[in-house]
Amino acid sequence: PILPEQYRVDNIKVIKIEKSTEPLGATVRNEADAVVVGRVVRGGAADKSGLLHEGDEILEVNGIEMRGKSVNTVCDILAAMEGTLTFLIVPASQARAHSSRESMLHVRAHFDYDPEEDMYIPCRELGIGFQKGDVLHIISQEDPNWWQAYREGEEDQTLAGLVPSQSFQHQRESMRLAAEERMSKPQRKSTTLLCGKATKRKKKKGAYADAGYPITNTADEFEAEEILTYEEVSTHYPRANNKRPIVLIGPPNIGRHELRQKLMEDSDRFAAAIPHTSRARKDSEVDSQDYHFITRAQFEADILSRKFVEHGEYEKAYYGTSLDAIRSVVNSGKICVLNLHPQSLKILRTSDLKPYIVFVAPPSLEKLRQKKLRSGETYKEEDLKNIIEKAREMEEKYGHFFDMIIINNDTERAYGQLLTEINSLEREPQWVPAAWVKAT
Amino acid sequence: LINVTRSKRATRGTYSPSAQEFCNPRVELNHVLKPPPEERLI
């Protein structure tokens, strides 16, 4: 084939790469008539050879001219080839300072992703789908918009896949939110995202814990609406004398109490944190056993110094669960079991206690109905719908904090699942926020 | 074979129509972010 004049012979390189039936692991894109290497994917033959680079123009492969062909044609031709492939290439003019292999980054995804639905992914066939909660091993951040990654459990894949980078995901999510904001408030000239969200938040006050008292969370109420992308995680190895507290989260009347009670029956292994109260001690009660009895003034001081994970007021007395109370269960070598309002997760997660968060969710409306009938409970249809709606809201707002979701259709079964998980927490390493590991 | 890889990847994700609706970038994004040129795997 006759080459366009601009290619001087000394500018053309011949490279040979061995190809199996698997793809070489490089992508091509069209730039006018040219077929140019878009990226080299980790794990493939092209990557291992080190001979192909982003920006290289492919002129020929085994004597077949590539210039002028669409990437789809190139893809089909190459797919049919096997053995030694001889490439005629014009190397990228800007030889990229080949970044030394960066260290691997492990992240937990805080959003669902489906490459089939993503019009921005450069190469759909390389896209990895994942769900909120999945762990991804990021092995290349060379492209600022598209990371190369393996999904946890699929490290045996030859080729890495593509996932949106943190900055790309953040950028498009903030654009989407801004667009949403514009549409919902067309008459106003400019509304900041923050204001819009903050007002929404204000309405959702007055949460009640199951004890019946309104729960106030010690963490700041009005923090900026976060855009959830990825969270860096590290491996945490279980320690016999430092067990992770189990936190049960969920809508009321879905069996969190039964689950907690069932666990606590094994009192050698599980214990509750002893709450504080400002009410007077009754004769039958023992200080530091039933409650930590403190004065109202002391309680208020402790609230201010952020000692409580959550607290509330009931019949003119304060009640609350303190970080120290949880810590003292942990120090005793037992597993602390807590039923908390999801608002409390933030403060707990920023502590050193490494909570393991279980969301106890209702089954479908129909199954919930059957469940109530089975247990002979009277119920109002309205209440069941409320429970499901509440669960949905919780999951939307706090889902990124959950380590596990149990659908409680049958308490025995849910208990079995929970116990199995707790047992494995004592044996298997776990992914936890990287900050938890760095801090210690 | 590419098709195999492709369909394999495609089945990885989970079908969640609500999430798709939520993430659908169709709204007003198009003129801000331009889709990149298509790349194919070789």
Side-chain angles (χ1 to χ4, degrees), chain A residues 89-249:
Chain A
I89 61 165
V90 181
S93 51
Q94 288 268 300
R96 279 183 153 230
H98 201 67
S99 54
S100 54
R101 310 244 134 170
E102 320 105 270
S103 58
M104 208 194 288
L105 175 71
H106 309 280
V107 297
R108 191 184 293 282
H110 284 332
F111 60 103
D112 295 331
Y113 180 68
D114 179 0
E116 294 295 317
E117 294 294 316
D118 188 354
M119 67 190 286
Y120 297 105
I121 189 162
C123 183
R124 188 152 290 135
E125 52 212 319
L126 281 172
I128 302 182
F130 53 81
Q131 272 184 290
K132 198 185 273 186
D134 285 350
V135 169
L136 303 170
H137 309 292
I138 311 296
I139 55 163
S140 167
Q141 301 172 52
E142 229 164 294
D143 179 339
N145 290 339
W146 294 93
W147 285 346
Q148 293 187 21
Y150 292 98
R151 204 166 78 164
E152 166 94 331
E154 290 177 350
E155 295 88 345
D156 56 331
Q157 290 275 309
T158 320
L159 281 184
L162 288 183
V163 300
S165 73
Q166 178 149 27
S167 63
F168 185 81
Q169 184 62 20
H170 194 277
Q171 184 193 4
R172 89 162 134 198
E173 194 54 13
S174 51
M175 280 180 177
R176 195 188 59 76
L177 287 172
E180 215 173 56
E181 196 71 8
R182 274 200 305 279
M183 290 200 302
S184 64
K185 292 191 185 123
Q187 60 273 70
R188 265 202 250 170
K189 259 187 201 155
S190 77
T191 326
T192 67
L193 194 60
L194 269 172
C195 292
K197 291 287 169 182
T199 33
K200 257 190 219 161
R201 263 186 186 213
K202 252 186 231 168
K203 287 180 204 151
K204 291 199 178 176
K205 261 183 129 185
Y208 280 77
D210 305 275
Y213 52 78
I215 281 299
T216 321
N217 173 266
T218 317
D220 295 323
E221 282 239 18
F222 301 103
E223 70 277 327
E225 184 79 9
E226 280 175 286
I227 292 175
L228 298 171
T229 56
Y230 302 103
E231 179 177 38
E232 191 183 348
V233 290
S234 296
T235 316
H236 166 74
Y237 295 92
R239 281 185 242 157
N241 54 0
N242 200 338
K243 293 174 181 163
R244 297 179 67 181
I246 305 295
V247 184
L248 303 178
I249 301 290

Side-chain angles (χ1 to χ4, degrees), chain A residues 21 23-29 39 72 75 116 119-120 122-123 125 127 131 154 157 159-160 175-176 182-183, chain B residues 1-2 6 9-10 12 14 19-20 22 25 27-30 32-42:
Chain A
T21 52
L24 286 173
T27 67
V28 284
R29 63 168 187 258
R39 67 191 71 226
N72 293 327
C75 178
E116 294 295 317
M119 67 190 286
Y120 297 105
C123 183
E125 52 212 319
Q131 272 184 290
E154 290 177 350
Q157 290 275 309
L159 281 184
M175 280 180 177
R176 195 188 59 76
R182 274 200 305 279
M183 290 200 302
Chain B
L1 210 117
I2 302 296
R6 194 170 183 173
R9 295 276 191 206
R12 291 297 152 71
T14 344
Q20 281 167 23
F22 191 69
V27 197
E28 290 200 47
L29 260 179
N30 301 4
V32 197
L33 266 179
K34 254 175 64 190
E38 190 194 14
E39 291 176 30
R40 292 296 310 270
L41 181 64
I42 58 166

Side-chain angles (χ1 to χ4, degrees), chain A residues 287-327:
Chain A
D287 187 27
S288 303
Q289 195 172 306
D290 295 293
Y291 288 98
H292 297 289
F293 294 96
I294 56 173
T295 64
R296 203 174 163 83
Q298 182 63 54
F299 206 111
E300 281 167 356
D302 287 354
I303 292 170
L304 287 178
S305 52
R306 295 173 169 267
K307 289 192 176 173
F308 292 108
V309 172
E310 66 180 24
H311 69 273
E313 216 174 347
Y314 179 66
E315 296 197 337
K316 291 187 179 148
Y318 285 119
Y319 293 83
T321 305
S322 72
L323 283 169
D324 279 340
I326 301 168
R327 191 171 291 113

Side-chain angles (χ1 to χ4, degrees), chain A residues 260-278:
Chain A
R260 181 162 178 260
Q261 282 321 113
K262 273 175 113 53
L263 289 175
M264 304 279 254
E265 279 167 22
D266 184 354
S267 58
D268 289 338
R269 195 173 173 204
F270 298 99
I274 295 158
H276 284 67
T277 182
S278 66

